[in-house]
Amino acid sequence: MKIGIFDSGIGGLTVVREIRRLMPGQPLVYFGDTARTPYGTKSRATITRYALEDTRFLLEQGAGIIVIACHSASSIASAAVANEFSVPVFEVVSPSVEQAARVTRNRRIGIIGTRATIESRVYDHKIPELLPGAVVLGMPCPLLVPLVEEGWLKRRETRMIVRKYIRPLKERQVDTLVMGCTHYPLIKDIIEAKAGKRIVTVDPSLQTALAVKRFLEASGDSAEPDSPGDERYFVSDLAPATEEIARRFLGGKIKLEKA
Ligand code: DGL
């Protein structure tokens, strides 16, 4: 079965990277909405409309299962996507909620993400459903997406900004931190260093890929490990730097096609 994965841009390639690692040879089609990125600063209505359009495009490309790799779209539009289309829909929030609920010891969980993700309060609702009494503390981190896209992955400025965002969560004694944005796995080492040893981080890209793998295995649809990969990567706008940035997210060569 072909996996269709979409994101507001190229950040969702962090999810593709894990899917490829765990399910080599599985056919996939990716759509990055680079013409309309970012989603994290947009309204609920707009994000929902874009998510429905992105899904429709992937289904037209033959996807049989959808993965919403974007946290902003997952937080706001996953129910709309699941209601509108009859294919299985995965998103990045639920697997990270489950993992956070599993690993926390003191039931105090911090979430970092875009404004859209944090303001959706999806984690505030979902985590206590699984873990009664859990305290969820969200912190919007709007500066991190542009810093990662600029490739400022080791810079002092990035470390300072991460520290500023995480400090209030540490002060309120979270022991678990969900990296609730496609871009954060690229600065995971900085986030972990600033969070400190006592805080466990949750990487939704890995948790989502694991959930998709379990589903495909259970439905008998996983590809033979060595079958040649049928992979296509579409974007809605192809600027000169896009492929270079995309390579960083995927961790290897990539050929982008304009949708
Ligand atoms: N992909 C988005 C997310 O994970 C980050 C970039 C954006 O704001 O569109 O929320």
Side-chain angles (χ1 to χ4, degrees), residues 7-8 37-41 69-72 114 117 145 180-183:
D7 176 47
S8 57
T37 201
Y39 285 9
T41 53
C70 176
H71 290 257
S72 307
T114 65
T117 297
V145 164
C181 176
T182 46
H183 289 50

Side-chain angles (χ1 to χ4, degrees), residues 73-114:
S74 293
S75 301
I76 284 159
S78 57
V81 172
N83 285 338
E84 182 78 12
F85 304 100
S86 56
V87 295
V89 175
F90 286 79
E91 36 78 27
V92 284
V93 172
S94 306
S96 27
V97 164
E98 285 160 23
Q99 178 69 357
R102 257 193 305 271
V103 298
T104 182
R105 288 144 289 146
N106 70 0
R107 300 188 179 219
R108 298 179 71 81
I109 298 168
I111 319 288
I112 50 175
T114 65

